[in-house]
């Protein structure tokens, strides 16, 4: 199981004689998970609008993101027929910032395009994970039966 | 959208996916599957279409080593998975070394850096679920005491002595002395608190490779170091990276355009790694076929492609006139742009296949958390 998933359900501490102790421990566990660099959504919003442009021509600034998300998001947003232009950049290598520029065909807004980009990427991840798991299980089963014979 | 959507034929689609490889140049490098790129064709994102075309093929599956093909993906997404595997999936590594004594030839800080890079393994559930994050103090802040669920204590205590039983004229230091070499296996795990529940016996936290040489000693020299290991990510330091390698390459293609026969076929086979090109005999039927290029060559050897996946795309065959004469090219090399042959080698804390699934999950959580952030967008500086 993913360590970064455990915010919602902190690992149950072994039976403790005192209730308070468990409570304290849970809080401590959650605080510890806040230190997990893979979990970001606990603090402020990590996306900001950059000045200039309008709702159809917008630049978004992402904190603590890089090429990993930038390029994947750029690709999936470019697959949207309502989008005229999409590009991303890392303004400076020593700042953990990533900018995405989206220009759309009105009345479709850039923010809608970004939102759809996230949704599409999530859907893509689900398909990849499902197919991967099925194929992996089939391969493992096949491997096992070959070992037995 | 488009008034009459044109659906390109399968041949055209395959052709668009092909990256061309010539002697000195590559062609058709970037994907063109975007809306508006081809008039009246529909290239909008569609999960159902994607799910229909997306394929996974496994080649090897072992705990420390997995190889598989992802087919039908864009490079940007495949690259995101690869980058996440290397830099964003957490693993345990030594972060602090408390040097009580070190009289060896290797300096404290150098030894500490070496210790940090030693990969550890242990109970999967314990490492991934039980162990949490240790909040590193900010600069100037004091180090907070670790607890059983975020710090792993390890100990290295070793002293080199003379081996009394060794022959008088023994020259081999390993026989002449005890503990002349310090190996990763000499690092001892000290469980405390609830750690004993998860990490005991064969599940104990231990170096993945016990034979890593850490230092060399001579009689009288001592190393006594206590270490604290915590969870971290590869973007902070390479020692936290859970993979030895996580890489992909595109599927190579070899198309033989004109028959390669006789001695040429033997030479052609030698241009490739073993198992890529095979030799077959030209049959009577082939020789009888007009315009096939096989006429009158019955019984001769001909080159055929056995397994293009094994090719390293060295382009050696293109250097020879007989295969690559201008206007009479006998072979065409290429790669399939959306066929990624992944190779993921875990360093001990994850199963390679589980780790890849984790990278997918990671990208997904990233998107979800950022999607939630869209709800209150603010202008920068306000």
């Amino acid at each position: 199981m993913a360590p970064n998933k455990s915010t919602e359900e902190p690992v149950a501490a072994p039976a403790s004689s005192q209730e308070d102790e468990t409570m304290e421990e849970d809080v401590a566990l959650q605080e510890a998970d806040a230190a997990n660099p893979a979990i970001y959504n606990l603090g402020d919003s990590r996306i900001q609008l950059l000045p200039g442009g309008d709702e159809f021509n917008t630049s978004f600034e992402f904190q603590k993101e890089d090429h990993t998300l930038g390029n994947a998001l750029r690709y999936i947003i470019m697959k949207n027929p309502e989008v005229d232009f999409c590009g991303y950049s890392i303004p400076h290598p020593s700042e953990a910032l990533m900018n995405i520029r989206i220009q759309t065909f009105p009345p479709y807004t850039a923010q809608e395009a970004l939102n759809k980009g996230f949704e599409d990427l999530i859907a893509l991840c689900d398909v990849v994970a499902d197919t991967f798991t099925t194929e992996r299980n089939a391969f493992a089963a096949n491997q096992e039966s070959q070992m037995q014979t | 959208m488009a008034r009459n959507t044109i659906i390109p034929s399968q041949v055209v689609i395959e052709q668009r996916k092909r990256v061309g490889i010539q002697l000195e140049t590559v062609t058709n490098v970037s994907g063109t599957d975007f809306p508006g790129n081809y008039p009246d064709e529909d290239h909008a994102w569609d999960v159902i279409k994607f799910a229909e075309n997306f394929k996974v093929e496994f080649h090897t599956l072992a705990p420390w080593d997995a190889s598989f093909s992802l087919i039908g993906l864009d490079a940007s997404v495949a690259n995101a998975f690869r980058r996440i595997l290397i830099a964003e999936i957490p693993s345990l590594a030594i972060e602090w070394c408390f040097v009580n004594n070190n009289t060896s030839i290797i300096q404290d800080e150098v030894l500490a850096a070496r210790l940090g890079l030693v990969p550890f393994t242990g109970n999967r559930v314990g490492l991934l679920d039980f162990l949490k994050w240790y909040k590193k103090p900010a600069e100037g802040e004091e180090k907070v005491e670790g607890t059983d669920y975020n710090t792993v204590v390890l100990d290295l205590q070793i002293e080199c002595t003379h081996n009394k039983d060794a022959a008088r004229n023994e020259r081999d230091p390993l026989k002449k002395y005890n503990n002349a070499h310090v190996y990763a296996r000499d690092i001892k795990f000290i469980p405390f608190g609830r750690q004993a529940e998860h990490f005991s016996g064969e599940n104990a936290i231990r170096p993945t490779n016990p034979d890593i040489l850490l230092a060399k000693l001579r009689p009288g020299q001592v190393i006594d170091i206590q270490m604290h290991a915590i969870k971290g990510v590869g973007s902070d330091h390479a020692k936290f990276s859970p993979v030895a390698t996580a890489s992909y390459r595109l599927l190579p293609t070899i198309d033989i355009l004109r028959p390669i026969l006789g001695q040429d076929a033997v030479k052609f086979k030698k241009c490739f790694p073993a198992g890529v090109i095979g030799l077959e005999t030209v049959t009577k039927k082939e020789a009888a076929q007009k315009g096939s290029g096989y006429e009158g060559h019955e019984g001769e050897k001909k080159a055929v492609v056995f397994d293009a996946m094994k090719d390293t795309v060295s382009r050696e065959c293109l250097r020879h006139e007989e295969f690559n004469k201008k206007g009479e090219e006998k072979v065409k090399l290429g790669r399939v742009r959306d066929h990624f042959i992944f190779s993921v080698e875990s360093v001990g804390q994850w199963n390679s296949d589980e780790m890849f699934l984790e990278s997918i999950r990671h990208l997904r959580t990233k998107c979800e958390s950022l999607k939630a952030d869209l709800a209150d967008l603010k202008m920068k500086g306000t």
Side-chain angles (χ1 to χ4, degrees):
Chain A
M1 241 279 235
N4 60 339
K5 275 214 159 174
S6 35
T7 14
E8 299 96 4
E9 30 176 42
V11 174
S16 169
S17 51
Q18 285 169 323
E19 272 279 288
D20 292 352
E21 214 169 84
T22 349
M23 283 284 286
E24 253 170 50
E25 224 159 57
D26 278 355
V27 172
L29 280 180
Q30 267 169 18
E31 269 173 21
D33 247 14
N36 179 348
I39 292 183
Y40 313 95
N41 55 346
L42 299 167
D44 295 335
S45 169
R46 282 162 60 220
I47 311 177
Q48 283 182 312
L49 292 166
L50 288 174
D54 51 46
E55 55 184 322
F56 310 111
N57 306 283
T58 319
S59 296
F60 301 89
E61 184 190 75
F62 287 64
Q63 281 160 15
K64 291 186 187 168
E65 285 302 342
D66 56 6
H67 299 281
T68 306
L69 185 76
N71 200 13
L73 204 54
R74 186 217 97 233
Y75 164 76
I76 210 92
I77 293 172
M78 276 172 77
K79 285 286 260 180
N80 186 343
E82 302 290 339
V83 172
D84 188 14
F85 172 87
C86 181
Y88 85 101
S89 81
I90 310 277
H92 195 280
S94 58
E95 280 179 320
L97 295 175
M98 187 266 296
N99 292 349
I100 280 192
R101 172 74 173 179
I102 303 172
Q103 292 174 200
T104 54
F105 300 114
Y108 196 86
T109 66
Q111 201 174 317
E112 275 176 85
L114 184 58
N115 194 52
K116 185 173 187 302
F118 286 134
E119 280 169 7
D120 291 348
L121 209 50
I122 289 169
L124 183 148
C125 284
D126 288 341
V127 172
V128 175
D130 283 350
T131 320
F132 185 88
T133 317
T134 335
E135 287 298 322
R136 193 260 324 255
N137 294 347
F139 189 82
N142 193 19
Q143 221 172 18
E144 215 161 87
S145 65
Q146 272 183 354
M147 290 252 282
Q148 280 165 356
T149 51
Chain B
M1 278 272 81
R3 292 134 298 176
N4 291 311
T5 314
I6 300 170
I7 298 166
S9 71
Q10 206 55 37
V11 180
V12 171
I13 292 176
E14 289 304 317
Q15 224 160 31
R16 283 178 191 167
K17 281 187 200 164
R18 231 19 114 71
V19 178
I21 296 171
Q22 283 79 43
L23 190 54
E24 300 289 345
T25 49
V26 283
T27 50
N28 197 22
V29 186
S30 357
T32 49
D33 53 339
F34 297 107
N37 207 309
Y38 301 100
D40 291 346
E41 282 183 24
D42 177 29
H43 285 284
W45 169 256
D46 184 351
V47 217
I48 297 161
K49 254 195 223 164
F50 175 74
E52 273 170 14
N53 290 322
F54 181 69
K55 276 192 212 75
V56 176
E57 277 171 19
F58 265 86
H59 310 306
T60 49
L61 177 61
W64 304 151
D65 186 11
S67 171
F68 47 85
S69 291
L70 302 185
I71 308 158
L73 212 59
D74 187 72
S76 60
V77 184
N79 195 40
F81 294 143
R82 185 193 62 87
R83 285 174 64 99
I84 291 172
L85 283 170
I86 293 170
E88 292 179 36
I89 289 182
S91 83
L92 185 82
I94 293 169
E95 178 72 357
W96 289 283
C97 291
F98 304 97
V99 184
N100 298 321
N101 197 3
N102 174 23
T103 54
S104 75
I105 191 110
I106 181 164
Q107 297 92 331
D108 292 2
E109 65 275 21
V110 180
L111 184 57
R114 285 179 76 77
L115 287 167
L117 289 163
V118 175
F120 286 92
T121 185
N123 181 340
R124 239 6 87 66
V125 181
L127 284 170
L128 305 184
D129 278 347
F130 169 69
L131 281 180
K132 302 278 168 219
W133 291 84
Y134 175 84
K135 195 174 185 309
K136 269 177 133 182
E139 225 163 287
E141 263 178 56
E142 204 134 300
K143 184 177 179 289
V144 191
E145 194 83 353
T147 51
D148 57 351
Y149 59 81
N150 64 19
T151 307
V152 169
V153 180
L154 300 149
D155 205 22
L156 177 61
Q157 283 185 26
I158 200 159
E159 184 180 0
C160 182
T161 52
H162 281 283
N163 183 5
K164 296 263 159 44
D165 303 326
R168 272 200 74 189
N169 56 354
E170 181 60 64
R171 307 279 309 257
D172 184 356
L174 282 173
K175 289 175 187 156
K176 201 173 177 189
Y177 315 120
N178 299 316
N179 298 330
H181 289 182
V182 183
Y183 291 105
R185 58 171 165 268
D186 298 317
I187 301 173
K188 295 283 169 288
F189 164 58
I190 305 172
F192 72 103
R194 275 180 284 140
Q195 281 173 5
E197 290 169 27
H198 297 276
F199 310 110
S200 56
E202 59 177 22
N203 285 328
I205 292 177
R206 61 190 185 278
T208 315
N209 309 293
D211 298 331
I212 301 170
L213 183 67
L214 298 173
K216 289 189 177 182
L217 302 178
R218 283 299 175 268
Q221 294 184 339
V222 182
I223 289 177
D224 178 1
I225 298 178
Q226 194 165 71
M227 293 151 278
H228 288 183
I230 59 165
K231 262 191 185 180
V233 285
S235 53
D236 174 31
H237 192 294
K239 69 185 174 186
F240 290 121
S241 188
V243 287
T245 60
S247 64
Y248 57 72
R249 64 194 180 100
L250 295 178
L251 177 76
T253 57
I254 304 161
D255 295 315
I256 295 174
L257 307 171
R258 292 180 172 83
I260 301 173
L261 300 161
Q263 275 315 106
D264 276 1
V266 178
K267 187 177 178 184
F268 187 71
K269 189 184 170 191
K270 277 191 182 166
C271 291
F272 294 89
V276 176
I277 300 296
L279 299 178
E280 277 176 7
T281 317
V282 179
T283 59
K284 200 174 180 180
K285 204 176 160 193
E286 279 170 330
Q289 208 170 6
K290 277 217 171 118
S292 66
Y294 293 120
E295 302 104 313
H297 292 285
E298 194 194 328
E300 277 185 51
K301 292 257 184 301
K302 62 163 182 172
V304 283
V305 180
F306 271 14
D307 189 0
M309 190 180 276
K310 285 185 182 153
D311 189 21
T312 53
V313 200
S314 65
R315 281 131 66 234
E316 170 68 15
C317 64
L318 301 182
R319 296 179 60 232
H320 301 281
E321 267 274 276
E322 51 267 60
F323 309 128
N324 199 29
K325 195 175 174 192
K326 209 164 174 132
E328 282 176 47
E329 286 89 352
K330 288 188 174 171
V331 60
K332 196 170 137 217
L333 298 183
R335 306 193 100 133
V336 183
R337 191 169 33 237
D338 70 343
H339 187 133
F340 298 89
I341 307 166
F342 266 82
S343 162
V344 181
E345 270 177 56
S346 166
V347 101
Q349 288 177 30
W350 295 78
N351 275 348
S352 296
D353 53 328
E354 284 299 322
M355 188 158 48
F356 186 75
L357 281 172
E358 176 66 17
S359 77
I360 302 172
R361 233 174 278 147
H362 212 98
L363 184 62
R364 198 184 188 281
T365 359
K366 235 182 223 274
C367 291
E368 288 212 316
S369 94
L370 285 166
K371 192 171 163 255
D373 284 351
L374 274 182
D376 62 327
L377 266 185
K378 284 192 191 77
M379 189 68 80
K380 197 184 181 185
T382 53

